[in-house]
Amino acid sequence: MNPLIQKYVYHVVRYLPERDQEDVQKELTANIYDMLSDNSTDEEIKKVLYSLGKPRTLAENYRQDKRYLISPAYYGEYVHLLKWLLPLVAIIMFTLLIFITSIEMIASGTTNIYTIIWRSLFAGLGTSFSATYQTLVIATIVFVLIERHNIALADTAWNLDELSDPPVDQPLSQKATFPLSTTISSIVLAILTALFIILWALTGTSIPISIKGTGDSLALFDTTFLLPLIMVTLIILVVHLVEKVLKIVQPSWTISTCVATIINCIVQAAGWIFLLTRETIFNSAFFSRLQTIDWGEFDFMQFISSDNLAKWNTAIIVLIVLITFCEIFYALYKTLKK
Amino acid sequence: MGFAMNEQELLQNFITELRRGSLTLAILASLKMPHYGYALLEILQAKHIDIEANTLYPLLRRLESQGLLTSSWDTSESRPRKYYVINDYGRTIYAALLKEWKEIQSTISQFEKEDEL
């Protein structure tokens, strides 16, 4: 066999299931030779092979089995299920684990309230993430099985009376610019982040950062930084919540939502810049302790221990200002476009 | 200019869709006698059916696996060739498809006649 043809055919059949490989190889080779004259040159062979197209594309055409997990016929149902199932599992597992961990810690004699909240929160977050991920995998597997067995989900009976009425005073073009699910996710995320920062700040000395291999532990933030951190976090959270609640009431770009978005962006940027420009952010003992450790190849840890982070403040502030300008510009553009 | 290009692309897409739908019908119609892949390609192209080798060869295998065609290898000549021919099940499907195709053609013709009036 001509080496060019051999190579081309090999690169087609290698992408096919084993059961089809031999037969396709034989048939495709025969077809290619049929397309050539008796004493064809390499140029002629190349022309024919190029006319057959990329080997991988031809292999795709030859494949009899489906190459997707979930087809468009089921995808809508799949996304619809995930939209309510994943948040539900996340919330249930988060609440359950916080409750169970708190009870267990109290029963085992832990009295420090911050320690209880802190550990329960982590247990809740960890388990919630893991359970959500597992639910996603299981739901996907179920849908793949439904797809493979052609179970008629799309043909399930529906009732006209069950459909909700369209909004009366809201044009279609203004519908779901801010989907409810996205806004609620943003609220939950903001509350959790704020809770995390505040707890870290409140327990800054009692829940310290453990330093690898040394067995000792020190607080990350300087004590003078904790109050501004808590205050700024609370202010940012409140403004963020107001903006999101407004976006639930008015789920499209209006003057009110635009103004709220701009105020939220400015407050967030101002808050972070205020914190970054504090004289002392980190606990100096923490860095002194880090510098006594040989990090070996852990370059990032070496960089942190050199206490050079302050030099990056300007760059971070510039980045914050740029992002804020982009967000404000986007909000104005979307509102004016309407 | 941009609009003209888009119109051309759009038209080409519609033509491709239209032809794709009738491709199976044309292949089944052409395989009342056994043919090997390249010979069938030449027959179809001679009848101005716009089909490429990289579409036809896999399609023949698919129709065979769907039970509409039967294949056999002819090794009597210097080049072995795989011949495809329509079988009884293929003929049943072909008849049903042809009936449907004629109905569509008739409906479209009626629309055209109404426009002429």
Side-chain angles (χ1 to χ4, degrees), chain A residues 64-113:
Chain A
Q64 307 276 336
D65 51 348
K66 294 168 180 173
R67 292 280 280 169
Y68 46 78
L69 289 176
I70 300 165
S71 70
Y74 298 101
Y75 191 71
E77 295 289 335
Y78 171 69
V79 171
H80 179 70
L81 176 77
L82 293 185
K83 267 186 177 175
W84 65 262
L85 185 62
L86 296 187
L88 185 72
V89 169
I91 291 167
I92 289 175
M93 293 311 285
F94 181 68
T95 318
L96 204 64
L97 258 290
I98 282 188
F99 182 72
I100 292 171
T101 314
S102 310
I103 299 289
E104 274 179 2
M105 287 183 76
I106 293 165
S108 66
T110 310
T111 51
N112 188 330
I113 186 72

Side-chain angles (χ1 to χ4, degrees), chain A residues 151-158:
Chain A
I151 298 169
L153 260 194
D155 294 336
T156 47
W158 64 282

Side-chain angles (χ1 to χ4, degrees), chain A residues 85-296:
Chain A
L85 185 62
L86 296 187
L88 185 72
V89 169
I91 291 167
I92 289 175
M93 293 311 285
F94 181 68
T95 318
L96 204 64
L97 258 290
I98 282 188
F99 182 72
I100 292 171
T101 314
S102 310
I103 299 289
E104 274 179 2
M105 287 183 76
I106 293 165
S108 66
T110 310
T111 51
N112 188 330
I113 186 72
Y114 295 135
T115 311
I116 293 171
I117 295 172
W118 188 250
R119 289 195 183 161
S120 306
L121 198 63
F122 263 94
L125 280 174
T127 312
S128 168
F129 180 78
S130 162
T132 310
Y133 177 72
Q134 285 175 36
T135 309
L136 174 68
V137 172
I138 292 166
T140 307
I141 291 171
V142 169
F143 265 83
V144 169
L145 291 174
I146 289 172
E147 171 72 52
R148 290 290 174 269
H149 293 88
N150 287 321
I151 298 169
L153 260 194
D155 294 336
T156 47
W158 64 282
N159 191 337
L160 194 58
D161 295 333
E162 286 171 5
L163 299 180
S164 63
D165 294 326
V168 181
D169 53 351
Q170 196 179 0
L172 267 180
S173 61
Q174 285 191 2
K175 217 170 147 253
T177 307
F178 310 123
L180 188 63
S181 56
T182 313
T183 313
I184 289 176
S185 312
S186 176
I187 290 175
V188 172
L189 194 69
I191 292 174
L192 287 179
T193 311
L195 207 60
F196 179 85
I197 293 172
I198 292 167
L199 278 174
W200 189 316
L202 283 175
T203 60
T205 48
S206 57
I207 306 289
I209 303 292
S210 293
I211 297 170
K212 188 175 174 268
T214 60
D216 57 359
S217 54
L218 290 162
L220 175 67
F221 295 120
D222 189 87
T223 48
T224 59
F225 181 69
L226 299 180
L227 187 62
L229 180 64
I230 293 170
M231 295 308 292
V232 167
T233 306
L234 281 174
I235 293 167
I236 289 177
L237 177 66
V238 170
V239 175
H240 187 79
L241 291 183
V242 170
E243 186 225 353
K244 294 299 169 198
V245 169
L246 187 68
K247 282 184 176 175
I248 291 175
V249 181
Q250 292 179 13
S252 63
W253 286 109
T254 60
I255 301 290
S256 315
T257 50
C258 179
V259 170
T261 305
I262 292 172
I263 292 174
N264 183 34
C265 290
I266 292 171
V267 169
Q268 273 198 48
W272 284 110
I273 291 169
F274 173 78
L275 288 177
L276 286 167
T277 49
R278 292 305 85 206
E279 198 174 331
T280 319
I281 297 176
F282 297 107
N283 177 16
S284 57
F286 179 80
F287 287 103
S288 307
R289 187 72 190 86
L290 285 183
Q291 279 165 357
T292 63
I293 299 164
D294 177 22
W295 290 104

Side-chain angles (χ1 to χ4, degrees), chain B:
Chain B
M1 187 70 185
F3 176 74
M5 282 296 286
N6 285 339
E7 194 179 287
Q8 273 298 317
E9 281 174 21
L10 194 68
L11 181 64
Q12 194 52 52
N13 284 344
F14 283 132
I15 290 171
T16 309
E17 273 179 40
L18 206 62
R19 283 178 177 167
R20 193 181 294 148
S22 51
L23 212 53
T24 308
L25 200 60
I27 292 172
L28 293 177
S30 311
L31 285 174
K32 285 167 192 152
M33 294 290 287
H35 288 295
Y36 59 91
Y38 184 60
L40 181 62
L41 184 71
E42 286 192 313
I43 290 169
L44 293 170
Q45 285 177 344
K47 291 183 189 298
H48 304 290
I49 290 173
D50 188 19
I51 186 167
E52 299 293 330
N54 53 18
T55 307
L56 178 67
Y57 300 156
L59 189 54
L60 286 171
R61 281 183 66 83
R62 191 168 305 140
L63 291 172
E64 186 193 9
S65 72
Q66 287 167 339
L68 278 68
L69 302 179
T70 307
S71 73
S72 58
W73 278 95
D74 177 8
T75 51
S76 60
E77 290 182 41
S78 59
R79 278 182 187 171
R81 279 168 178 152
K82 194 177 185 182
Y83 281 78
Y84 289 92
V85 69
I86 192 165
N87 56 26
D88 287 345
Y89 182 57
R91 271 188 285 272
T92 310
I93 297 286
Y94 170 68
L97 278 177
L98 191 63
K99 185 171 172 276
E100 188 67 30
W101 187 77
K102 281 179 177 170
E103 279 173 14
I104 294 169
Q105 199 185 27
S106 160
T107 310
I108 301 293
S109 298
Q110 276 174 29
F111 279 125
E112 207 181 356
K113 279 175 192 165
E114 283 167 16
D115 288 344
E116 284 169 3
L117 289 175

